[in-house]
Amino acid sequence: GNLEEDGTCRDAYTGTDEVVTAVCLKQYANVTAEPAIDSQGREEVALFDISDILSWNRTQMGEWWYWEGKERFPCHDKGDCLAHLPMAFHKYEPQYFYDFEKEFYGYVTKAKKNDASLFISDNGSLASRNWPNFDMTYQYLQRVR
């Protein structure tokens, strides 16, 4: 690999800290790191905005670092490539996590249509905010619930 991914266990303040952590886990604990994906190849850890990942098409985008080393699954070209039991969402400001909580743990589903703290889409769907790429993102959030 390159200087960042040289196969050694060490303190690494790089963009590839997951690779270095995997090397250390193997070297010192005999634990082999596995991709954080479900059986359909959907990501259990979102590194980008979920509305973006849900719409990505690997063939149209071409190969770049996000796809590097990943086994190809049908969802990579069809979309909906986020696990329905996600472990983590990265790249969000703290206020978004309050909205995720509302979406996942029922506040939105129990609210009244006149609740001013919620967003109501054109088709009458209640959500904690006007999510980017609303229809696709809203459908994903419903599946996660």
Side-chain angles (χ1 to χ4, degrees):
N2 61 30
L3 184 59
E4 289 185 344
E5 297 179 20
D6 64 2
T8 60
C9 177
R10 66 193 190 294
D11 282 337
Y13 303 99
T14 70
T16 61
D17 50 335
E18 293 89 353
V19 173
V20 176
T21 300
V23 169
C24 295
L25 283 169
K26 182 65 177 171
Q27 183 176 341
Y28 290 103
N30 199 28
V31 172
T32 302
E34 296 287 332
I37 58 174
D38 69 11
S39 63
Q40 305 297 309
R42 296 179 298 226
E43 301 288 334
E44 293 175 335
V45 176
L47 298 178
F48 298 96
D49 188 298
I50 61 175
S51 63
D52 291 336
I53 298 172
L54 289 169
S55 65
W56 283 350
N57 180 305
R58 187 172 183 172
T59 300
Q60 288 175 354
M61 295 176 82
E63 298 294 316
W64 54 293
W65 71 260
Y66 180 79
W67 302 113
E68 187 177 330
K70 291 184 180 185
E71 180 181 344
R72 192 176 201 104
F73 287 90
C75 72
H76 292 175
D77 290 320
K78 290 191 234 172
D80 190 25
C81 220
L82 278 177
H84 298 171
L85 292 173
M87 292 191 297
F89 297 104
H90 292 275
K91 297 279 187 179
Y92 283 98
E93 297 294 322
Q95 68 270 16
Y96 276 85
F97 289 101
Y98 295 115
D99 292 326
F100 283 135
E101 181 179 12
K102 289 177 189 176
E103 295 283 358
F104 297 146
Y105 300 109
Y107 176 78
V108 169
T109 60
K110 297 173 189 166
K112 305 268 189 274
K113 290 269 187 195
N114 61 356
D115 187 330
S117 70
L118 297 177
F119 171 77
I120 302 174
S121 72
D122 291 339
N123 66 9
S125 299
L126 286 176
S128 58
R129 69 171 49 234
N130 185 4
W131 298 99
N133 196 355
F134 184 84
D135 291 335
M136 184 180 292
T137 303
Y138 183 76
Q139 289 172 12
Y140 171 73
L141 295 172
Q142 284 188 307
R143 284 191 298 275
V144 171
R145 279 189 208 129

